[in-house]
Short mmCIF file of all heavy atoms in Angstrom, two decimals:
data_model
loop_
_atom_site.label_atom_id
_atom_site.label_comp_id
_atom_site.label_asym_id
_atom_site.label_seq_id
_atom_site.Cartn_x
_atom_site.Cartn_y
_atom_site.Cartn_z
N PRO A 159 -13.44 207.01 -70.92
CA PRO A 159 -13.19 206.11 -69.79
C PRO A 159 -14.13 206.44 -68.64
O PRO A 159 -14.48 207.60 -68.41
CB PRO A 159 -11.73 206.38 -69.43
CG PRO A 159 -11.39 207.69 -70.04
CD PRO A 159 -12.26 207.84 -71.25
N GLU A 235 -3.04 213.59 -58.14
CA GLU A 235 -1.92 214.43 -57.69
C GLU A 235 -0.94 213.62 -56.84
O GLU A 235 0.28 213.76 -56.98
CB GLU A 235 -2.47 215.62 -56.90
CG GLU A 235 -3.26 216.61 -57.75
CD GLU A 235 -3.97 217.65 -56.90
OE1 GLU A 235 -3.77 217.63 -55.66
OE2 GLU A 235 -4.73 218.47 -57.45
N VAL A 242 9.27 208.04 -60.80
CA VAL A 242 8.85 207.46 -62.08
C VAL A 242 9.05 205.96 -62.11
O VAL A 242 8.30 205.23 -62.75
CB VAL A 242 9.57 208.15 -63.26
CG1 VAL A 242 11.02 207.75 -63.33
CG2 VAL A 242 8.85 207.86 -64.57
N ARG A 254 0.26 193.26 -66.47
CA ARG A 254 0.33 191.80 -66.49
C ARG A 254 -0.82 191.17 -65.73
O ARG A 254 -0.77 190.00 -65.37
CB ARG A 254 1.67 191.35 -65.90
CG ARG A 254 2.83 191.51 -66.87
CD ARG A 254 4.14 191.01 -66.28
NE ARG A 254 4.78 192.00 -65.45
CZ ARG A 254 5.14 191.80 -64.19
NH1 ARG A 254 4.91 190.64 -63.62
NH2 ARG A 254 5.74 192.75 -63.50
N SER A 260 -5.11 199.49 -64.92
CA SER A 260 -4.07 199.40 -65.95
C SER A 260 -4.14 200.57 -66.93
O SER A 260 -3.14 201.18 -67.27
CB SER A 260 -4.20 198.07 -66.70
OG SER A 260 -3.24 197.98 -67.71
N ASP A 321 13.12 197.19 -4.90
CA ASP A 321 12.61 197.73 -3.64
C ASP A 321 11.09 197.78 -3.77
O ASP A 321 10.53 198.65 -4.45
CB ASP A 321 13.18 199.13 -3.40
CG ASP A 321 12.75 199.72 -2.06
OD1 ASP A 321 11.69 199.30 -1.54
OD2 ASP A 321 13.45 200.61 -1.56
N ASP A 331 -0.63 208.71 -4.35
CA ASP A 331 -1.00 210.10 -4.62
C ASP A 331 0.22 210.99 -4.34
O ASP A 331 0.91 210.82 -3.33
CB ASP A 331 -2.16 210.54 -3.71
CG ASP A 331 -3.49 210.04 -4.23
OD1 ASP A 331 -3.60 209.80 -5.46
OD2 ASP A 331 -4.42 209.88 -3.42
N ASN A 391 19.32 195.02 -16.53
CA ASN A 391 19.54 194.88 -17.97
C ASN A 391 19.02 193.54 -18.46
O ASN A 391 19.64 192.86 -19.28
CB ASN A 391 21.02 195.02 -18.31
CG ASN A 391 21.23 195.92 -19.51
OD1 ASN A 391 20.43 196.82 -19.78
ND2 ASN A 391 22.30 195.67 -20.26
N PHE A 429 16.48 202.45 -21.72
CA PHE A 429 15.39 201.46 -21.77
C PHE A 429 14.80 201.39 -23.18
O PHE A 429 14.45 202.40 -23.78
CB PHE A 429 14.29 201.84 -20.77
CG PHE A 429 13.20 200.82 -20.67
CD1 PHE A 429 13.31 199.75 -19.81
CD2 PHE A 429 12.05 200.93 -21.44
CE1 PHE A 429 12.29 198.81 -19.70
CE2 PHE A 429 11.03 199.99 -21.35
CZ PHE A 429 11.16 198.93 -20.48
N LEU A 449 7.10 187.14 -56.70
CA LEU A 449 5.72 187.22 -57.20
C LEU A 449 5.59 188.34 -58.23
O LEU A 449 4.92 188.18 -59.26
CB LEU A 449 4.75 187.45 -56.04
CG LEU A 449 3.26 187.51 -56.40
CD1 LEU A 449 2.81 186.23 -57.08
CD2 LEU A 449 2.42 187.77 -55.14
N VAL A 468 4.21 201.11 -52.70
CA VAL A 468 4.05 202.48 -52.21
C VAL A 468 4.37 202.56 -50.72
O VAL A 468 5.05 203.47 -50.26
CB VAL A 468 2.61 202.99 -52.48
CG1 VAL A 468 2.40 204.36 -51.85
CG2 VAL A 468 2.35 203.06 -53.99
N LEU A 588 6.93 175.90 -60.83
CA LEU A 588 7.64 175.14 -61.87
C LEU A 588 7.74 175.92 -63.18
O LEU A 588 8.77 175.89 -63.86
CB LEU A 588 6.94 173.80 -62.09
CG LEU A 588 6.85 172.91 -60.84
CD1 LEU A 588 6.08 171.63 -61.13
CD2 LEU A 588 8.24 172.59 -60.30
N SER A 599 22.97 182.79 -68.82
CA SER A 599 24.20 182.20 -69.38
C SER A 599 24.40 180.77 -68.91
O SER A 599 25.47 180.19 -69.12
CB SER A 599 25.40 183.05 -68.96
OG SER A 599 25.51 183.08 -67.54
N LYS A 655 -11.55 156.43 -31.92
CA LYS A 655 -11.19 155.02 -32.08
C LYS A 655 -12.34 154.25 -32.71
O LYS A 655 -12.12 153.34 -33.53
CB LYS A 655 -10.83 154.43 -30.72
CG LYS A 655 -9.49 154.90 -30.18
CD LYS A 655 -9.17 154.20 -28.85
CE LYS A 655 -7.81 154.66 -28.32
NZ LYS A 655 -7.48 154.02 -27.01
N GLY A 704 15.02 184.47 -55.20
CA GLY A 704 13.61 184.31 -54.87
C GLY A 704 13.08 182.94 -55.27
O GLY A 704 12.28 182.33 -54.57
N ALA A 752 -5.94 168.61 -32.20
CA ALA A 752 -5.68 169.43 -31.02
C ALA A 752 -5.28 168.51 -29.88
O ALA A 752 -5.72 167.35 -29.84
CB ALA A 752 -6.91 170.26 -30.63
N GLN A 767 10.36 176.68 -17.70
CA GLN A 767 11.55 177.19 -18.39
C GLN A 767 11.88 178.62 -17.99
O GLN A 767 12.93 179.14 -18.36
CB GLN A 767 11.34 177.12 -19.91
CG GLN A 767 11.00 175.75 -20.46
CD GLN A 767 12.07 174.73 -20.18
OE1 GLN A 767 13.26 174.99 -20.35
NE2 GLN A 767 11.65 173.55 -19.71
N LEU A 773 0.43 185.29 -14.50
CA LEU A 773 -0.79 185.25 -15.30
C LEU A 773 -1.77 186.25 -14.72
O LEU A 773 -2.00 186.27 -13.51
CB LEU A 773 -1.43 183.85 -15.29
CG LEU A 773 -0.63 182.65 -15.76
CD1 LEU A 773 -1.55 181.43 -15.90
CD2 LEU A 773 0.09 182.92 -17.07
N THR A 774 -2.38 187.05 -15.58
CA THR A 774 -3.34 188.03 -15.08
C THR A 774 -4.44 188.27 -16.10
O THR A 774 -4.28 188.03 -17.30
CB THR A 774 -2.65 189.37 -14.73
OG1 THR A 774 -3.60 190.26 -14.14
CG2 THR A 774 -2.07 190.03 -15.98
N PHE A 784 -9.47 180.04 -8.27
CA PHE A 784 -8.68 179.92 -9.49
C PHE A 784 -8.53 178.46 -9.94
O PHE A 784 -7.77 178.17 -10.86
CB PHE A 784 -7.28 180.51 -9.29
CG PHE A 784 -7.26 182.00 -9.11
CD1 PHE A 784 -7.01 182.57 -7.88
CD2 PHE A 784 -7.49 182.84 -10.20
CE1 PHE A 784 -6.97 183.95 -7.71
CE2 PHE A 784 -7.46 184.22 -10.04
CZ PHE A 784 -7.21 184.78 -8.80
N GLY A 792 -2.40 174.23 -16.35
CA GLY A 792 -1.26 173.60 -15.71
C GLY A 792 -0.43 174.55 -14.88
O GLY A 792 0.74 174.27 -14.58
N ALA A 796 1.42 178.18 -7.74
CA ALA A 796 1.48 179.63 -7.93
C ALA A 796 0.82 180.35 -6.76
O ALA A 796 -0.15 179.87 -6.18
CB ALA A 796 0.78 180.01 -9.23
N GLN A 877 -22.91 192.78 -36.96
CA GLN A 877 -21.63 192.19 -37.35
C GLN A 877 -21.83 191.19 -38.49
O GLN A 877 -22.74 190.38 -38.47
CB GLN A 877 -21.00 191.48 -36.14
CG GLN A 877 -19.63 190.90 -36.41
CD GLN A 877 -19.05 190.23 -35.19
OE1 GLN A 877 -19.61 190.32 -34.09
NE2 GLN A 877 -17.95 189.54 -35.35
N GLY A 884 -14.33 196.42 -36.16
CA GLY A 884 -13.69 197.72 -36.00
C GLY A 884 -14.49 198.83 -36.62
O GLY A 884 -14.64 199.92 -36.04
N SER A 895 -26.57 206.93 -31.44
CA SER A 895 -27.99 206.58 -31.59
C SER A 895 -28.07 205.32 -32.46
O SER A 895 -28.65 205.31 -33.55
CB SER A 895 -28.76 207.72 -32.24
OG SER A 895 -28.78 208.85 -31.39
N PHE A 944 -20.80 169.08 -17.09
CA PHE A 944 -21.55 170.34 -17.16
C PHE A 944 -21.18 171.24 -15.99
O PHE A 944 -20.83 172.41 -16.18
CB PHE A 944 -23.05 170.07 -17.16
CG PHE A 944 -23.89 171.32 -17.28
CD1 PHE A 944 -24.02 171.97 -18.50
CD2 PHE A 944 -24.52 171.86 -16.17
CE1 PHE A 944 -24.77 173.13 -18.61
CE2 PHE A 944 -25.28 173.02 -16.27
CZ PHE A 944 -25.40 173.65 -17.50
N ILE A 953 -19.18 181.02 -17.31
CA ILE A 953 -19.11 182.12 -16.33
C ILE A 953 -18.02 183.11 -16.72
O ILE A 953 -18.22 184.33 -16.68
CB ILE A 953 -18.87 181.56 -14.91
CG1 ILE A 953 -20.16 180.93 -14.38
CG2 ILE A 953 -18.38 182.66 -13.97
CD1 ILE A 953 -19.98 180.23 -13.05
N VAL A 996 -23.92 193.97 -7.85
CA VAL A 996 -24.92 194.83 -8.49
C VAL A 996 -26.32 194.38 -8.08
O VAL A 996 -26.53 193.25 -7.66
CB VAL A 996 -24.81 194.78 -10.03
CG1 VAL A 996 -23.51 195.38 -10.50
CG2 VAL A 996 -24.94 193.34 -10.54
#
Side-chain angles (χ1 to χ4, degrees):
E235 292 171 4
V242 72
R254 282 182 277 125
S260 179
D321 183 336
D331 281 335
N391 225 28
F429 185 86
L449 182 58
V468 174
L588 301 177
S599 61
K655 288 183 179 179
Q767 304 300 316
L773 302 190
T774 185
F784 292 107
Q877 183 179 352
S895 294
F944 182 76
I953 285 174
V996 294

